[in-house]
Amino acid sequence: MFTANELDYLESLSGVNPIQQDIDAFKQKGKLDDLEETGLNRDKYLDFSEARVRQFAPCLSEYGGILDPDDGKEHEYATAAFVKAGAILLANDRCKDLKNQILLAMDWASTCLGENKVPDDHADFTTHMLVRAYQLLAPIVDKERSDSWKASLSNVEPEVMYCQTQRSFPDIRTIRNWATYAMHGEMMRLKEGFTDSMAFIDKYLKPQMPRFTREGLYRDPNIPVAYDLAARQQLSGLIDAGYNGEWKTFLETQLRKGAQTMLFMQSTTGGTSCGGRSNQIIWNELTFANLCEREASLYAKEGDQEWAGIFKRAARKALQSILRWIEDPTQFRLLKNRFDSGLRNGWEFYAYYSTYSLYAAQIAASCFESADDSISEKATPADLGGYVVPIKSFNRIYATSRPQQGGYHLMMDTAAQMGHDATGWVRLHKADYLEETALSMGIGGLNGNIHLNYFVAKQIIPRPHTPAAIGLTWRDAHGTWHRLANYGRRKHETFHSLNEDGAPTHPEKLHWHALLESGEENGDALSFKLRYESTGLQLINDMDLRSPDEDQHPAILRAIGDLMPRPGIEGVAAITESYRIAHDGVTTAWSVEAAEDTELSAIGVTVPVLVTNGTDETVIRVDGNKLFVLYSNAIYAIQPEGETGDVELELLPGLMPNRNGNYRLAQWIRKDAQKEIKLHFSLEQAEIL
């Protein structure tokens, strides 16, 4: 099944984590003397789970299906998630008044699975939930009822009933994260005696193994962060359900490696990384927490209380970061904005309020089951800071400063997926400040969206043609402006085979080589430099990405050559960004190198600034070339540094949406493109100013 390249790649995965030096440095930094524990115990997970079960209990139909409050239909795995969460709650003396409703939902959901009638062809997701529910509910019902459930759960024909199998994907290597859910369910069925075959797992697990990156992350097509978390959670469940096959040791190694890696992707706010589809939804943080709670308990059993405490705290910080959304007095917020859920603002087409709310509820219930409150919290990488970590397989860089350096967290996406994200500096957080105050993710544009454009999150106002991040813009000699944000990945990944780097064979050519140059960290500041060097790849006619591959017909090569007269990327050979993060804020300088025989007529820096998160609005004030944003008792200030007399600020009128809210675009422009532009960014409490 595996090619020679794939075998070599799999062998390389047994090597050291590429960020191991950062892990080792973190372990040597010691402890925080003034570490304040989160104060959250594992019951908080059940509180959330119970709130969701009670919220959706009135949506239970007479036959036992959960109907979505927006369209009145049953979708995907909503009922199965309701059942699993409800079963765990009942097992812990909660929701006893809802026992009959939970049992009725179990009747219906198990029947749907056994008769291949799971809504929207989502059986892959439901099996593991229903087997867990069976384990907890069977002892409290009569034998006739439990036997009915058992018969349904024993009637599953994986190749026929699951969606992402070879019946739909003849090339087994192209099956993505759905397979991890199905295999988890099949392992649980085997454990309970509902099947006596490992054939499905043996067949579908092996092709998933090259999806792991050298950092231990899972590479779903187009590398969305949410589905790295989701897939690793399901593969963890496969191990925990008793998998002891050929790939057990490999899986355990990769899962541990990935768990350590993701700690360095966590924000100082406790939030998880952005990037790709389904991000900024609160189940992301709960999945992160579930992985961390599991690791904490495993480390504790191994006698390593230090790592156990680190993972426990990382889990609780993730939970803490979403409390403002799940405890919103107006409405439970599934996604990190305050638009009414009926508007579906920021949701993909496949996201429903019922499914994702109850999906989050059953994850939270699993967090409760995995958690060990006897473990003492220890400082996480996000607590200590002082590092800049590149995750090369995901084209992302995470920079986190120490508390004495302001507690800032920055993220750069150096080759973003167009339509979803923007290339450049896409996240600016500070500990204890609302995440959307500055920027929590980039502004996706219409330009260059891959052909699966229905995966793009819905917005209630038009999205901009060109994406935006905090980053460079330049004007060529003809007067046309270009943005770094607009140069990213435009093709949909397929995994027919992999190259020696674990990427799909014939990977998409990128416009820039992003190079993280060595930084410097001391007690006062964290500094680093990022350089984008042009590959010479051109963007033709905006939507059409072409490159003169050598194996193309000579006539095509000549035609493409005629279309691409400009050297560099629209006249730019390289972009250099220099960052200094200190207690007073982040100072960043941008400079460009013009390509040979070209001239640039201006450079600038774009910065999205928040207008509203759906209900809460900002006050934006412009003072010359300085800009101040007042939001929730915080001041976000951006102002030029150095020689600033010729730096002009323009605040554009149009609204630009992302999943967190609606933004406007500020641009600082300098007509002398040979000079750098340096801006200082800070987040402070309003009363300080």
Side-chain angles (χ1 to χ4, degrees):
M1 172 183 290
F2 293 134
T3 65
N5 278 339
E6 289 165 345
L7 288 171
D8 289 343
Y9 177 67
L10 282 170
E11 179 66 26
S12 76
L13 293 181
S14 63
V16 174
N17 191 332
I19 72 162
Q20 190 61 47
Q21 63 181 9
D22 299 293
I23 297 171
D24 294 341
F26 158 68
K27 290 303 295 292
Q28 294 172 4
K29 284 180 180 177
K31 306 173 183 178
L32 279 178
D33 294 332
D34 57 348
L35 181 68
E36 181 180 349
E37 293 208 5
T38 60
L40 300 176
N41 60 35
R42 69 182 191 139
D43 286 339
K44 197 69 175 178
Y45 293 120
L46 275 194
D47 292 344
F48 169 75
S49 189
E50 180 175 356
R52 301 289 74 73
V53 168
R54 291 192 178 280
Q55 177 185 357
F56 286 93
C59 299
L60 192 72
S61 70
E62 61 183 10
Y63 54 82
I66 293 292
L67 306 182
D68 193 86
D70 292 330
D71 64 7
K73 298 178 181 179
E74 184 184 1
H75 289 290
E76 301 169 347
Y77 41 79
T79 306
F82 177 86
V83 170
K84 179 189 166 185
I88 294 173
L89 288 162
L90 286 174
N92 289 278
D93 292 326
R94 297 205 187 195
C95 291
K96 290 184 177 181
D97 57 314
L98 297 179
K99 177 181 176 181
N100 290 336
Q101 291 97 313
I102 293 167
L103 296 180
L104 178 63
M106 179 64 176
D107 292 339
W108 174 250
S110 58
T111 298
C112 287
L113 180 59
E115 296 181 0
N116 197 19
K117 295 179 180 178
V118 175
D120 305 327
D121 207 5
H122 270 62
D124 313 52
F125 295 84
T126 64
T127 306
H128 77 91
M129 300 182 194
L130 294 179
V131 176
R132 181 59 185 140
Y134 173 87
Q135 292 170 339
L136 297 172
L137 296 177
I140 65 172
V141 299
D142 59 67
K143 189 174 185 300
E144 181 180 0
R145 197 170 201 174
S146 64
D147 283 349
S148 173
W149 297 341
K150 181 177 180 179
S152 293
L153 295 172
S154 300
N155 199 41
V156 175
E157 298 180 53
E159 292 285 357
V160 176
M161 296 180 175
Y162 296 145
C163 176
Q164 293 213 3
T165 60
Q166 282 193 300
R167 72 179 173 91
S168 304
F169 295 79
D171 189 336
I172 197 171
R173 294 171 298 184
T174 64
I175 296 173
R176 59 190 191 274
N177 73 83
W178 287 38
T180 66
Y181 289 86
M183 289 185 290
H184 181 192
E186 286 304 296
M187 193 66 233
M188 293 191 70
R189 286 208 313 130
L190 183 68
K191 182 177 182 179
E192 288 300 311
F194 299 153
T195 180
D196 59 2
S197 175
M198 282 280 294
F200 183 87
I201 296 170
D202 289 339
K203 177 179 178 180
Y204 286 94
L205 183 58
K206 184 176 181 179
Q208 292 292 308
M209 295 303 92
R211 294 290 183 118
F212 279 100
T213 72
R214 291 188 173 94
E215 300 92 351
L217 306 179
Y218 178 93
R219 182 177 179 136
D220 210 49
N222 308 313
I223 51 178
V225 173
Y227 294 104
D228 155 59
L229 294 169
R232 285 190 290 114
Q233 180 197 36
Q234 296 307 312
L235 291 170
S236 298
L238 177 71
I239 294 290
D240 295 343
Y243 174 74
N244 195 30
E246 174 187 3
W247 295 96
K248 179 183 179 182
T249 301
F250 176 88
L251 261 180
E252 289 177 331
T253 301
Q254 300 310 311
L255 290 170
R256 175 144 291 182
K257 188 188 294 185
Q260 292 184 350
T261 295
M262 73 180 184
L263 294 176
F264 292 83
M265 301 162 69
Q266 186 177 28
S267 172
T268 53
T269 64
T272 61
S273 175
C274 63
R277 62 190 180 92
S278 292
N279 84 90
Q280 302 300 294
I281 303 174
I282 58 106
W283 68 253
N284 287 206
E285 273 72 22
L286 288 166
T287 306
F288 178 96
N290 192 202
L291 287 164
C292 287
E293 296 285 11
R294 176 182 182 270
E295 287 295 320
S297 295
L298 288 174
Y299 274 113
K301 291 176 183 176
E302 296 166 11
D304 190 336
Q305 295 301 320
E306 187 68 24
W307 270 118
I310 292 165
F311 275 103
K312 178 190 174 182
R313 180 170 174 81
R316 306 302 164 94
K317 284 174 67 70
L319 173 62
Q320 190 176 56
S321 76
I322 59 173
L323 292 181
R324 60 180 286 234
W325 304 113
I326 65 182
E327 296 177 350
D328 188 306
T330 302
Q331 179 187 48
F332 160 63
R333 307 295 177 176
L334 175 59
L335 197 130
K336 294 181 180 180
N337 66 50
R338 296 197 72 204
F339 293 96
D340 186 270
S341 65
L343 298 173
R344 295 174 55 83
N345 193 64
W347 302 13
E348 277 86 359
F349 81 99
Y350 50 76
Y352 295 93
Y353 192 56
S354 57
T355 54
Y356 270 6
S357 298
L358 289 166
Y359 179 68
Q362 62 87 26
I363 297 172
S366 290
C367 288
F368 171 85
E369 291 191 307
S370 298
D372 181 352
D373 277 348
S374 69
I375 299 170
S376 298
E377 292 184 11
K378 306 290 184 182
T380 68
D383 287 316
L384 295 180
Y387 55 82
V388 182
V389 174
I391 307 297
K392 293 182 180 179
S393 62
F394 275 44
N395 305 310
R396 294 175 183 124
I397 298 169
Y398 300 85
T400 304
S401 68
R402 294 175 182 269
Q404 62 266 37
Q405 298 163 343
Y408 285 94
H409 175 77
L410 283 60
M411 176 185 150
M412 289 76 184
D413 193 335
T414 60
Q417 182 191 353
M418 295 292 95
H420 275 287
D421 300 302
T423 295
W425 179 6
V426 295
R427 172 165 285 186
L428 173 56
H429 285 174
K430 185 177 181 180
D432 302 322
Y433 286 75
L434 301 184
E435 291 180 339
E436 70 272 21
T437 305
L439 192 63
S440 214
M441 63 172 291
I443 310 289
L446 293 173
N447 188 351
N449 186 17
I450 60 175
H451 65 281
L452 294 174
N453 56 12
Y454 51 82
F455 275 173
V456 173
K458 176 185 181 293
Q459 300 293 354
I460 58 175
I461 63 172
R463 67 179 69 238
H465 180 68
T466 303
I470 306 174
L472 195 77
T473 181
W474 66 93
R475 189 172 66 190
D476 62 26
H478 303 284
T480 302
W481 284 97
H482 310 275
R483 289 182 198 155
L484 173 65
N486 194 37
Y487 294 90
R489 295 174 285 117
R490 284 172 161 77
K491 294 181 180 179
H492 180 64
E493 290 185 340
T494 55
F495 285 72
H496 298 291
S497 63
L498 301 181
N499 62 21
E500 65 278 4
D501 294 321
T505 304
H506 304 301
E508 180 174 358
K509 292 185 177 181
L510 301 177
H511 297 86
W512 309 94
H513 288 309
L515 308 171
L516 177 62
E517 300 186 354
S518 57
E520 180 180 49
E521 201 274 330
N522 57 48
D524 296 326
L526 174 67
S527 302
F528 64 97
K529 185 179 293 185
L530 178 59
R531 182 175 171 86
Y532 293 87
E533 294 184 350
S534 164
T535 64
L537 182 66
Q538 296 294 323
L539 195 62
I540 306 300
N541 297 328
D542 290 334
M543 300 292 285
D544 189 11
L545 181 66
R546 297 177 182 269
S547 57
D549 293 329
E550 293 181 359
D551 58 354
Q552 290 180 334
H553 191 280
I556 296 177
L557 292 175
R558 288 195 297 272
I560 293 175
D562 289 341
L563 288 170
M564 299 193 303
R566 299 179 181 85
I569 302 296
E570 299 296 350
V572 170
I575 298 169
T576 300
E577 303 174 351
S578 299
Y579 293 85
R580 184 181 185 275
I581 311 173
H583 190 271
D584 65 347
V586 182
T587 304
T588 308
W590 288 265
S591 61
V592 298
E593 297 173 24
E596 186 177 358
D597 298 326
T598 63
E599 184 177 351
L600 303 177
S601 57
I603 65 168
V605 174
T606 63
V607 181
V609 293
L610 182 67
V611 174
T612 180
N613 71 358
T615 58
D616 308 314
E617 297 187 351
T618 64
V619 175
I620 301 174
R621 179 169 64 88
V622 174
D623 181 6
N625 58 14
K626 302 175 184 178
L627 186 143
F628 303 91
V629 182
L630 175 63
Y631 179 65
S632 185
N633 297 320
I635 288 285
Y636 175 36
I638 313 163
Q639 44 196 322
E641 286 199 346
E643 299 180 17
T644 64
D646 60 344
V647 176
E648 301 174 6
L649 167 61
E650 182 178 13
L651 183 62
L652 303 181
L655 292 178
M656 306 182 73
N658 68 12
R659 296 175 191 265
N660 304 118
N662 296 330
Y663 290 71
R664 291 175 67 182
L665 196 65
Q667 291 189 155
W668 282 261
I669 297 169
R670 171 171 260 156
K671 293 180 180 178
D672 186 349
Q674 295 183 1
K675 292 183 178 180
E676 70 177 16
I677 288 186
K678 181 184 290 187
L679 298 179
H680 181 76
F681 303 79
S682 64
L683 285 163
E684 302 291 347
Q685 290 298 318
E687 60 265 25
I688 295 175
L689 297 181

